[in-house]
Amino acid sequence: MSAVELHERIPNNVSLSSDERLRRALEEWQPHFLDWWREMGPDRFQQHEVYLRTAMSVDASGWAHFGYVRMPDYRWGIFLAEPVPDRRIGFGNDYGKPVWQEVPGEHRNALRRLIVTQGDTEPASVEQQRRLGATCPSLYDLRNLLQVNVEEGRHLWAMVYLLHTYFGRDGREEARDLLARRSGHPDKPRILAAFNQPIDDWLSFFMFTTFTDRDGKYQLLALAESGFDPLSRTCRFMLTEEAHHMFVGESGVARIVERTAGCLRAGRDPRADGALDLGTIQRYLNLWYSLSLDLFGSEVSTNAAQFFGAGLKGRPKEEERYDDHLAVEGTYEMDVYEEGKCLRRAVPLRSAMNEVVRDGYVEDCQKALDRWNRRLEGTGAALVLPSRRFHRHQGTFAGHCFDPAGREVTREAFERQRDAWLPSEADRAHVRSLMTHGVFEPGQFASWIAPPARGIDHQSIDFQYVRSNEA
Ligand code: BYC
């Protein structure tokens, strides 16, 4: 294992200093990244000192270092998890053969596409969230937002490293394009639909980091299984950072719910108390959960079958959870929309891989909801996950309308009920009215969110997590 080169212009543990061409190519990309960061990264706080964690090594313990950093000085670097000795391909047609250290020619296009799609989501999310700082509910939350943002920047570096190292000129072009597309832009949008949606309030941010970052976790787990070892090692390290993003989302919604529950228990109207009502929370949940379900692709997918067969993208925890790693013969039961109705049918397993991964995700989301609902005990109210058929734009249910319980409805009925099921203009206006300004006093919190149980890195809740550099 090569040592961590922390003091290089690009911190890394991939021996960049011994590969002159690659180092130069990445150093050429770096100023473009910084330009993009200045233009599209977090608005307003670039000169502030932020109490951030920075990756310093890839050891399971103690890889993170906390300290004040101005975001443009953040040490974005290239970190791969330790190689697993004698690692073998864990699934698909090449099952049991040694993993690849170079890109096999026949899989080049498919791998490039997977890496570009993954890479595209990282800067997209930074773009989506760029204006949130100004309306933060506390310094603690502002710091968490900015932490998530710098780490998404690092995840972009991770994918750009793979593109530059293994895909030659095409890879360098793709790396440039990753900085050229823009979330929500009519002519040069980001690749996946959820990453073109605006995130302009904190309820959306916490729902996004709960549900969309959780898709990230599942996709990274699937790519961590890849027979292309550099991709696997890159994703394994990214997963260590992803956990904090989901914590930010899930604990953020939990704190909102706690505040709402407090009002309900006291017999007060949350809205009148400057908190969020449960209906609005449910509608935002419905939106971000359904958008995130789309990110798993079609239920029946030849792409997914090809990725699995080729050994490029497996199932999360392939070795621990499954016995049959070839998946040539089995079938998978799922709901599909065929012959004008929903029916359950057995789909050849390889073609069902997107649904297999989505099923794990749905189960995981339900656990997050159960934790939120514990905060609502005694109020008689609860949040629910809508049916996976509801409000879908990819896959078998796209183009058909379902209510949140999963019953098919006409388009007219859906449109009539839309404001009861998805955030309405009035909801958005209400949410915005609660979030007109930021709360920048240490230890103070906006009226619509409870304080967290504890601070970051053993610091107190009223710690100055972000400070202007004159302070
Ligand atoms: N939007 O067989 P299909 C994260 C396209 S999040 C738009 O259904 P496939 C993060 C698809 O590209 C994780 N287009 O799907 C989170 C294909 O296009 P072509 C990101 C979509 O290919 C928060 C066509 O529909 N990582 O890390 O099996 C913050 C039919 O394809 C969508 C990855 O996604 C959509 N939702 O699966 C920051 C992993 N869905 O070929 C970061 C890499 C499908 O007809 N990507 N399409 O032009 C993949 O594994 C696959 O591309 C997908 C789609 C799972 C996304």
Side-chain angles (χ1 to χ4, degrees):
M1 176 71 207
S2 52
V4 176
E5 298 172 358
L6 271 183
H7 303 292
E8 299 287 315
R9 208 164 123 192
I10 302 170
N12 70 92
N13 72 338
V14 293
S15 305
L16 209 52
S17 56
S18 63
D19 187 338
E20 185 63 13
R21 266 186 64 187
L22 176 62
R23 186 175 62 76
R24 274 221 304 273
L26 285 167
E27 285 182 359
E28 226 172 272
W29 186 80
Q30 190 174 36
H32 298 293
F33 169 80
L34 287 171
D35 286 347
W36 166 81
W37 180 265
R38 273 183 222 107
E39 186 194 332
M40 296 311 297
D43 195 24
R44 255 186 76 172
F45 297 96
Q46 297 286 346
Q47 295 311 314
H48 283 60
E49 293 184 332
V50 188
Y51 192 69
L52 293 177
R53 82 176 172 180
T54 307
M56 303 298 267
S57 82
V58 294
D59 300 343
S61 62
W63 60 266
H65 168 84
F66 284 85
Y68 283 108
V69 184
R70 282 166 66 256
M71 282 185 288
D73 301 334
Y74 182 77
R75 307 284 288 142
W76 282 288
I78 299 163
F79 294 103
L80 272 58
E82 301 279 353
V84 174
D86 190 35
R87 186 170 167 251
R88 306 265 152 177
I89 298 172
F91 58 94
N93 303 336
D94 290 314
Y95 177 67
K97 294 187 187 160
V99 289
W100 309 297
Q101 298 304 333
E102 294 293 331
V103 177
E106 69 273 31
H107 302 322
R108 188 184 160 88
N109 286 344
L111 259 178
R112 191 180 70 194
R113 206 175 118 195
L114 284 172
I115 292 169
V116 166
T117 308
Q118 176 64 50
D120 191 68
T121 62
E122 316 290 0
S125 67
V126 174
E127 292 167 0
Q128 286 170 293
Q129 297 163 14
R130 70 182 298 263
R131 295 197 193 283
L132 289 175
T135 57
C136 65
S138 71
L139 282 186
Y140 165 89
D141 291 289
L142 176 60
R143 176 258 165 223
N144 284 349
L145 165 75
L146 302 176
Q147 179 74 59
V148 167
N149 291 161
V150 292
E151 285 177 354
E152 300 302 6
R154 210 202 62 73
H155 292 182
L156 169 62
W157 269 94
M159 292 301 119
V160 164
Y161 160 74
L162 294 175
L163 290 169
H164 272 243
T165 311
Y166 299 100
F167 294 88
R169 197 173 147 182
D170 306 355
R172 290 194 292 279
E173 276 169 19
E174 295 282 14
R176 266 199 300 275
D177 290 349
L178 286 170
L179 296 177
R181 286 188 285 274
R182 290 286 179 272
S183 175
H185 195 286
D187 304 322
K188 42 177 189 176
R190 293 295 175 180
I191 297 171
L192 298 173
F195 294 89
N196 288 305
Q197 292 285 322
I199 303 179
D200 42 23
D201 62 68
W202 282 75
L203 184 55
S204 299
F205 171 66
F206 289 136
M207 290 296 176
F208 177 92
T209 33
T210 298
F211 293 113
T212 312
D213 276 89
R214 193 172 251 95
D215 165 57
K217 166 182 157 186
Y218 278 79
Q219 297 299 333
L220 291 175
L221 281 169
L223 294 174
E225 298 293 328
S226 185
F228 178 46
D229 202 41
L231 175 61
S232 163
R233 290 177 55 203
T234 307
C235 291
R236 273 190 280 137
F237 185 69
M238 287 161 75
L239 278 162
T240 60
E241 292 172 326
E242 201 63 41
H244 178 64
H245 304 188
M246 285 183 302
F247 161 80
V248 169
E250 194 183 318
S251 63
V253 176
R255 289 162 50 215
I256 292 176
V257 168
E258 189 176 319
R259 177 75 179 94
T260 305
C263 298
L264 295 176
R265 276 192 214 99
R268 299 174 67 92
D269 170 11
R271 280 197 181 208
D273 261 12
L276 282 150
D277 62 288
L278 220 51
T280 304
I281 297 172
Q282 179 70 58
R283 287 186 284 278
Y284 274 65
L285 184 164
N286 290 353
L287 175 67
W288 285 103
Y289 175 63
S290 57
L291 288 170
S292 304
L293 285 175
D294 277 343
L295 292 172
F296 290 82
S298 301
E299 285 70 8
V300 184
S301 165
T302 48
N303 285 348
Q306 190 218 335
F307 296 150
F308 188 89
L312 305 180
K313 185 179 174 193
R315 290 167 290 192
K317 309 222 183 319
E318 180 70 41
E319 192 179 340
E320 282 166 55
R321 297 233 179 111
Y322 303 94
D323 296 324
D324 168 20
H325 302 297
L326 303 186
V328 195
E329 283 169 356
T331 56
Y332 197 75
E333 289 266 326
M334 65 169 86
D335 290 344
V336 291
Y337 195 92
E338 281 173 6
E339 298 155 18
K341 57 179 185 294
C342 286
L343 42 96
R344 194 138 184 100
R345 91 167 162 87
V347 170
L349 187 49
R350 282 193 178 182
S351 303
M353 288 305 171
N354 287 342
E355 191 65 0
V356 172
V357 184
R358 183 164 23 230
D359 277 345
Y361 168 82
V362 169
E363 218 176 281
D364 202 16
C365 289
Q366 185 57 55
K367 288 186 191 147
L369 254 87
D370 294 344
R371 288 188 286 267
W372 292 341
N373 281 336
R374 263 179 241 137
R375 307 218 175 202
L376 283 165
E377 272 167 15
T379 66
L383 295 165
V384 288
L385 275 187
S387 160
R388 70 179 75 193
R389 301 175 195 163
F390 172 73
H391 190 241
R392 292 291 304 281
H393 295 87
Q394 293 290 331
T396 188
F397 303 115
H400 308 285
C401 294
F402 298 88
D403 70 10
R407 287 179 295 251
E408 189 165 12
V409 295
T410 62
R411 180 155 303 278
E412 294 69 39
F414 186 93
E415 288 308 328
R416 268 199 312 277
Q417 293 287 338
R418 175 182 278 275
D419 286 354
W421 295 339
L422 291 164
S424 65
E425 261 323 302
D427 289 336
R428 290 185 191 281
H430 175 63
V431 170
R432 271 198 304 271
S433 76
L434 290 179
M435 303 177 193
T436 51
H437 60 276
V439 177
F440 298 109
E441 273 300 302
Q444 299 292 306
F445 289 82
S447 64
W448 46 270
I449 192 164
R454 61 190 67 83
I456 291 289
D457 184 36
H458 310 293
Q459 301 289 358
S460 62
I461 291 171
D462 59 6
F463 182 71
Q464 181 103 36
Y465 288 102
V466 182
R467 63 187 188 199
S468 72
N469 52 1
E470 297 95 56

